[in-house]
């Protein structure tokens, strides 16, 4: 009876699920650019205050947190849960331009662009393939023209056109890699992006953009704790891969002729072509993906401003968000950071775009207020036991390396004092 029950309730995966992979994401091809791109922005609400809608960050690594769930009606309500989180480092972005668009029957058309009079070298590097072998004259003519009388007139005319014709206003901003101070990123060109301003009327949007021009924007001015964000990122690349790993199809029997990690039948004789629904080998990974409604668990300041940015109301240990030994393959998080629930697409060190959510935030999970009890900062290179270096020293006590270091310092101090005494004795003898 049990055997018959198993046969009736088996999944029939071979016939009902010949492959795993959504056809809505076809074609599975390599992304054109490495950074996540906002292909659309949230719907504008003139009743709100003017605000930016996206920000670019760098993926550092993952850890876990402990918190109490505050979700009435849920089975885990008022209970303690352990959840994985991703840490994204967010150095301030610099605003270097203002642009506006008007709606036409064939889509949005750009009215014009107003550039900052001073732009950084890392921003100008983006306009060259090889910076060292180039003339390095990007924006030199624009800077000279902007300082002239005719340039000021042209800038005023463009801003006036924004006010009369524009439907949406965006600022052009770029990341500041010199503030990231991470040699492992190994990129000197800034990542440039258009960020739409939502809220208020057109005049309020333009006024906000003019105030931000040539200034820095911090991540806490765009996102706040307990909100949700959409994550636009390029996934980790795996190159050209076979059909079994790419689509999850079943391997053929062991004695199959000419290989077994294949699809046996790729279609009927007619129509005499291979259908797009058939699983085939090809590019796997490095695809552009957008994940909706990722919950923000914390927006923290840099360790120089807040040396206790990983401390909570329940865990009073003074510690920073960087785990012991640094994030694997990334290193130290020195700037502001944002903590998201769960995983984020892409490998560490990759630039990722966060966008304000497109969908209305109405569910209990998305409107829940987050209060963290504990943030794990133990080493991610193994089974870390200690949260801070001080805790590790208290457990192990004085180490041999510490003793040798102390003895070496004493030896050098004694040698320096002896040299001073000898120099003074030589001077007295000469007199």
């Amino acid at each position: 009876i049990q055997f018959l029950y198993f046969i009736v309730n088996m999944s029939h995966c071979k016939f009902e699920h010949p492959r795993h992979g959504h056809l809505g994401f076809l074609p599975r091809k390599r992304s054109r650019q490495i950074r996540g791109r906002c292909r659309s922005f949230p719907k504008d609400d003139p009743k709100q205050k003017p605000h930016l809608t996206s920000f670019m960050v760098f993926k550092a690594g993952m850890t876990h947190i402990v918190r109490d769930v505050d979700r009435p009606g849920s089975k885990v309500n008022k209970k303690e849960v352990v959840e994985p989180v991703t840490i994204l480092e967010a150095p301030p972005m610099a605003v270097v331009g203002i642009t506006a668009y008007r709606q036409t029957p064939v889509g949005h058309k750009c009215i014009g662009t107003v550039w900052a009079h001073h732009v950084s070298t890392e921003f100008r590097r983006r306009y060259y393939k090889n910076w060292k072998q180039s003339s390095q004259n990007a924006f030199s003519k624009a800077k000279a023209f902007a300082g002239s009388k005719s340039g000021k007139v042209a800038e005023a005319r463009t801003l006036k056109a924004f006010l009369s014709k524009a439907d949406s206003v965006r600022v052009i901003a770029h990341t500041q890699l010199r503030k990231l101070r991470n040699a492992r990123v190994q990129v000197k060109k800034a990542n440039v992006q258009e960020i739409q301003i939502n809220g208020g009327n057109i005049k309020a949007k333009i006024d906000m953009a003019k105030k931000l021009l040539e200034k820095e924007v911090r991540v806490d001015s765009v996102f706040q704790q307990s909100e949700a964000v959409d994550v636009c990122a390029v996934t980790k690349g795996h190159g050209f891969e076979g059909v079994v790993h790419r689509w999850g199809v079943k391997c053929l029997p062991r004695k199959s002729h000419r290989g077994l990690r294949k699809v046996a039948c790729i279609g009927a004789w007619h129509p005499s072509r291979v259908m797009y629904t058939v699983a085939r080998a090809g590019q796997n990974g490095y695809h552009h993906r957008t994940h909706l409604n990722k919950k923000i668990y914390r927006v923290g300041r840099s360790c120089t401003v807040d040396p206790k940015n990983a401390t909570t109301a329940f865990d009073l240990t003074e510690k920073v968000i960087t785990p012991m030994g640094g994030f694997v393959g990334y290193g130290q998080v020195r700037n502001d950071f944002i903590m998201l629930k769960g995983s984020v697409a892409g490998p560490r060190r990759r630039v990722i775009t966060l966008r304000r959510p497109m969908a209305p935030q109405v569910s209990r999970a998305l409107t829940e207020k987050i209060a963290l009890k504990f943030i794990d900062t133990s080493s991610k290179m193994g089974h870390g036991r200690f949260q801070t270096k001080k805790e590790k020293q208290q457990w192990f006590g004085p180490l041999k390396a510490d003793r040798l270091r102390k003895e070496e310092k004493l030896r050098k101090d004694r040698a320096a004092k002896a040299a001073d005494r000898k120099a003074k004795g030589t001077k007295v003898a000469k007199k």
Side-chain angles (χ1 to χ4, degrees):
I1 295 173
Q2 291 179 352
F3 178 72
L4 291 174
Y5 177 80
F6 174 74
I7 291 176
V8 171
N9 289 276
M10 66 185 296
S11 62
H12 301 286
C13 187
K14 182 176 179 181
F15 304 102
E16 296 178 10
H17 299 282
R19 53 168 166 69
H20 296 277
H22 204 294
L23 295 178
F25 291 104
L26 291 180
R28 285 195 174 187
K29 58 191 291 187
R30 289 175 59 82
S31 174
R32 287 183 298 163
Q33 50 198 3
I34 196 169
R35 67 172 177 86
R37 186 164 65 92
C38 290
R39 293 170 176 168
S40 57
F41 289 94
K43 189 177 180 181
D44 191 10
D45 185 6
K47 296 179 182 178
Q48 297 179 355
K49 291 182 179 180
H51 58 273
L52 298 179
T53 52
S54 68
F55 200 89
M56 282 194 284
V57 295
F58 295 86
K59 184 175 177 179
M62 294 189 70
T63 183
H64 67 266
I65 57 96
V66 178
R67 71 181 184 94
D68 284 334
V69 178
D70 183 18
R71 202 182 306 158
S74 173
K75 291 183 178 180
V76 292
N77 186 38
K78 305 298 182 186
K79 292 183 180 179
E80 207 173 66
V81 295
V82 180
E83 292 177 330
V85 292
T86 302
I87 307 299
L88 306 169
E89 190 170 6
M93 293 183 69
V95 178
V96 293
I98 309 171
T99 185
Y101 293 85
R102 61 186 177 87
Q103 185 67 47
T104 68
V106 291
H108 278 91
K109 296 296 179 183
C110 181
I111 300 171
T113 305
V114 174
W115 293 102
H117 296 178
H118 304 89
V119 294
S120 63
T121 303
E122 56 190 352
F123 171 68
R124 293 192 296 127
R125 277 177 180 267
R126 177 53 62 181
Y127 289 86
Y128 294 99
K129 188 173 183 180
N130 191 321
W131 173 256
K132 292 296 183 183
Q133 294 180 1
S134 66
S135 60
Q136 303 181 7
N137 287 330
F139 285 89
S140 57
K141 290 183 179 179
K143 183 179 179 181
F145 179 71
S148 64
K149 186 177 180 180
S150 57
K152 292 176 181 177
V153 172
E155 184 177 313
R157 191 189 306 120
T158 306
L159 290 172
K160 189 176 179 180
F162 289 173
L163 197 60
S164 59
K165 300 178 182 178
D167 294 320
S168 62
V169 179
R170 299 178 185 178
V171 296
I172 301 171
H174 68 84
T175 56
Q176 301 188 87
L177 293 162
R178 57 188 173 83
K179 293 204 169 185
L180 189 66
R181 292 186 296 160
N182 192 327
R184 295 180 180 180
V185 174
Q186 295 181 342
V187 176
K188 295 181 181 178
K189 296 180 182 180
N191 296 281
V192 188
Q193 179 193 28
E194 285 187 2
I195 302 176
Q196 185 163 301
I197 299 177
N198 280 2
N201 55 20
I202 293 297
K203 186 177 184 305
K205 290 180 171 71
I206 295 173
D207 291 341
M208 179 185 178
K210 288 164 69 175
K211 288 179 183 177
L212 291 177
L213 199 62
E214 295 190 16
K215 296 216 172 62
E216 291 184 344
V217 178
R218 289 213 321 260
V219 68
D220 56 2
S221 65
V222 183
F223 304 112
Q224 298 297 326
Q225 183 172 324
S226 301
E227 292 180 348
V229 294
D230 297 341
V231 179
C232 305
V234 176
T235 62
K236 185 186 293 186
H238 298 283
F240 191 99
E241 285 200 319
V243 69
V244 172
H245 192 207
R246 192 183 186 214
W247 291 101
V249 300
K250 189 178 178 62
C251 288
L252 299 176
R254 182 187 63 82
K255 297 181 72 174
S256 297
H257 186 46
R258 293 178 180 172
L260 51 88
R261 295 178 65 88
K262 297 182 176 183
V263 173
C265 178
I266 60 172
W269 191 299
H270 289 289
S272 56
R273 57 187 174 272
V274 180
M275 299 293 288
Y276 78 99
T277 55
V278 178
R280 306 288 275 164
Q283 173 67 29
N284 188 30
Y286 205 75
H287 310 306
H288 188 279
R289 296 289 180 262
T290 301
H291 291 186
L292 303 181
N293 298 331
K294 288 280 189 180
K295 193 79 171 175
I296 299 176
Y297 276 9
R298 174 167 287 198
V299 180
R301 294 302 309 275
S302 64
C303 56
T304 54
V305 177
D306 183 11
K308 300 184 288 185
N309 55 18
T311 303
T312 65
F314 294 87
D315 179 22
L316 302 178
T317 307
E318 295 186 5
K319 56 183 181 178
V320 294
I321 195 65
T322 305
M324 290 189 64
F327 283 103
V328 179
Y330 187 85
Q332 306 289 323
V333 174
R334 298 183 176 91
N335 295 278
D336 297 351
F337 69 91
I338 187 165
M339 181 190 293
L340 298 185
K341 178 186 177 181
S343 61
V344 170
R348 50 186 175 259
R349 303 191 297 272
R350 180 158 292 175
V351 64
I352 291 167
T353 302
L354 304 182
R355 181 187 64 194
R356 293 182 72 89
M358 298 284 286
Q361 309 298 293
V362 293
S363 68
R364 288 180 180 176
L366 295 177
T367 56
E368 180 184 358
K369 297 296 181 183
I370 302 298
L372 302 182
K373 297 180 72 174
F374 170 77
I375 301 172
D376 180 60
T377 57
S378 61
S379 174
K380 305 303 172 189
M381 297 182 187
H383 300 284
R385 291 186 291 165
F386 307 104
Q387 296 295 314
T388 61
K389 192 175 181 180
K390 183 179 178 182
E391 182 183 333
K392 185 177 180 181
Q393 289 174 346
Q394 289 176 347
W395 174 263
F396 283 108
L399 301 176
K400 183 180 178 181
D402 298 332
R403 179 173 58 81
L404 293 175
R405 199 178 299 115
K406 190 176 181 180
E407 290 175 357
E408 182 66 18
K409 186 179 179 182
L410 286 172
R411 187 186 65 78
K412 288 182 179 180
D413 291 344
R414 287 171 188 160
K417 289 178 181 178
D420 291 341
R421 286 195 301 269
K422 187 176 181 180
K424 288 178 182 179
T426 307
K427 288 180 182 179
V428 171
K430 285 182 179 180
K431 288 179 180 179

